[in-house]
Amino acid sequence: MKSLNNFNDTELYLNRELTWLAFNQRVLHEADDARTPLLERVKFLAIVSNNLDEFFMKRIGGLKQQIAAGVHTPTVDGRTPNQQLAECRALIAAIQEDQERIFAELMSALEQHDIRLTAVNQLPSDAQERLRDHFRTNIFPMLTPLAMDPAHPFPFISNLALNLLVTLRYPGGSETYMARVKVPISKDVSKRLIPVNGSNTFVTLDDLVVNNLDMLFPGMEIERCALFRVTRNAIVEPDAEAANDLLEMIETELRERHFAPIVRLEVQAGMDPVHRGMLAAELGLNEEDVYEVAGLIAKRDLFELASLDIPELRDRPHRPCDHPLLANDRRNIFHVIRENGPLLLQHPYESFATTVERFLSTAARDPKVLAIKMTLYRTSAGPILDALIEAARNGKQVAVLVELKARFDEAANIGWARRLESEGIHVTYGVLGLKTHSKLIFVVRRDYSQLRRYYHIGTGNYHAVTAKQYTDFGLLGCDEDIGQDLTELFNYLTGYSPPPSYRKILAAPYTLKRGILHKIQREIDLHQQQGGGLIQMKMNALEDPDIIRALYKASRAGVKIDLIVRDTCRLRPGLPGISETIRVVSIVGRFLEHGRILYFRNGGNEEYYIGSADMMRRNLESRVEVLAPVERTELRQELRLILDVQFADYRSAWDLQSDGTYIQRCSDDPNAKGAQETLIGVAEKRLAAAAKHKEKTLRSRLLSHFEHRLSQQ
């Protein structure tokens, strides 16, 4: 290290893009791990493919834009855009090589269970004929071959669509012709994988098209055919100042994204080098932007295979439990919250439907509820939107902030916004220049002779599907100070000026980052006075340089720092004299880790927070985010148990090394459970204990058990 006192030294920081790719290597390891059920391994392979698509659209696209604009400014880790792009390409090539190996191994393993992905020409003739009839009836009418010659310009190629480059000649002729055929994969036409005779043998739609090209080009000789696919830049930023209407601006962005520059060309292995070069030239790409795929192109379509209903090849089915205080209490949920104090929700271990959806649907129907305010970042059709519409129809004041710039959900959010407006709901789009990423429901209810404010503050989106797939936290409460804070926050979101401070919540972009930095410094001061300093944080990403510098400073002072960081992490733990007291753990399991927890020992006066913000500059400075304190002792114990379980994980946990590599923890017990499986069991035990009024005893026993396990590490 150049200097122990210079926290700006580039050697102290890892690269954002490379650490995100490293996360996908950990996800890919789940596809390679024989302990993972076979169809779940297929799912993880599909997840990595989907993630890489988004990485090219967002991150590679952004790097290419910087390069085109002549940006040479290095990042905090000292890399220029060109250097980052080169290193990303090298790491992506390594990931792709692993993908191909794992794909071949999984296909072989699936065959042992009579699940096959085969070629059409390897099927018996009768099966081929039935598929040809299916093609003639259901696929052929949707195909449009486009010639490519001086009279027919090179066609437009859609983002992530599969295409066939077909080379033809007339019988006996010497001149070749080329055509492009788009493979019509869509919910309205056909899935990618087509079952054969109703069995678990599948062929791909593209292979079916290839084997029936004679219908498209009757009388022509098919000389060769190869698949290709392009990925377009998803970062298109229209001029916000020139736009008269934010909705109109986002719709313009979506249209322009359709025609955005291409950042990647994937071609089938064995494509004629001349044709490969022609495609790259026509698409404006260099050779390094072309990726040859030996196996299945667009492996994200393997989600179709992973969804097969074969229980012995899947994870044990998980059915979220009811919350212990709500399971057997059919009273109005507002009465439960008011009388029992705040409730901590843990999804997907506890049901989203019987907590958050119940809270909102009750608010829609309760005659004492006067107003509902809510932020929507990502959502889905179903009870959430239905409840908002029902509330408006019941005469309640309903105001919803819809974030139109939620990446890849813009079109859906525009649709939700218009639907809500058509029902008379007041819809706003947030603060100009800031994404609203907070997860909030705010309800004003007349309790007896006074108005009381109830709320849900969460770490996850109001999306019924992801609530079963992501681990998240939520807080249902009616604390007066938090209620007043949220009143002022919503007034800011729908009006103009933000309050200078809040009573209890921390809110970005004005008080959150400053508050966290203050708490880290306070931990340093208290540790120097009395020792025992401890900071623990759970998040998706750690990228903000100011937060990292503060954590380095705390480590230098001797404060113990434990971090659970799912993917991107710029901080380097274990550096002599810099970060020796810091450890970083990443959890990869059947659910996507998505919840955020902040803990400060604070000299024994402990503080816990949950909320929507990661420790990234964009979240802390360019978004509206909310962290809320968890103050009730029993709820703090639940958060403590979650942290202890994850730090004690020896099945799904990876330890970050100071050089940026990760090492997966290993257990001598072949049946060791990961943190997520453990927490599924905890939720089930809590529900059973609550029915016997023994939840407090169970919580105490579990806490002692995991505290002991941690002390043995």
Side-chain angles (χ1 to χ4, degrees), residues 59 133 198 228 239 246 255 262 282 319 332 350 401 405 411 473 543 602 609 618 627 675:
R59 308 307 308 169
D133 289 341
F228 72 95
D239 185 355
L246 184 59
R255 286 193 297 270
I262 294 170
E282 290 285 356
R319 295 176 179 82
N332 185 308
E350 293 171 348
L401 189 146
K405 299 187 74 175
F473 309 108
E543 178 269 344
N602 190 26
Y609 285 83
R618 71 182 188 192
L627 292 184

Side-chain angles (χ1 to χ4, degrees), residues 655-712:
D655 289 307
L656 175 60
Q657 309 302 299
S658 58
D659 64 356
T661 60
Y662 283 81
I663 296 177
Q664 188 177 37
R665 294 179 181 176
C666 296
S667 171
D668 294 333
D669 180 3
N671 299 314
K673 290 183 178 180
Q676 295 178 356
E677 290 299 315
T678 299
L679 290 172
I680 288 174
V682 168
E684 293 169 348
K685 291 175 182 176
R686 284 182 62 224
L687 183 60
K692 300 176 182 178
H693 305 289
K694 295 182 178 180
E695 186 183 0
K696 184 175 181 180
T697 302
L698 173 67
R699 187 189 306 115
S700 176
R701 191 169 72 248
L702 288 170
L703 280 167
S704 297
H705 170 71
F706 282 99
E707 285 173 0
H708 175 72
R709 281 185 57 177
L710 286 170
S711 68
Q712 302 303 307

Side-chain angles (χ1 to χ4, degrees), residues 396-415:
K396 304 181 192 306
Q397 295 182 40
V398 183
V400 179
L401 189 146
V402 178
E403 178 48 68
L404 295 181
K405 299 187 74 175
R407 185 69 67 184
F408 302 124
D409 274 327
E410 298 95 336
N413 284 6
I414 288 172

Side-chain angles (χ1 to χ4, degrees), residues 19 23 26 537-543 551 562-571 583-588 593 614-615 646-647 654 656 662:
T19 58
F23 163 65
R26 299 194 293 281
M537 296 182 177
K538 173 178 169 57
M539 67 200 85
N540 299 335
L542 174 56
E543 178 269 344
L551 292 173
D562 297 327
L563 305 175
I564 301 172
V565 185
R566 186 188 73 199
D567 50 71
T568 297
C569 182
R570 285 190 179 275
L571 181 145
R583 64 170 170 167
V584 179
V585 177
S586 174
I587 304 287
V588 179
E593 289 293 330
D614 287 311
M615 298 299 104
Q646 295 209 323
F647 283 121
W654 297 70
L656 175 60
Y662 283 81

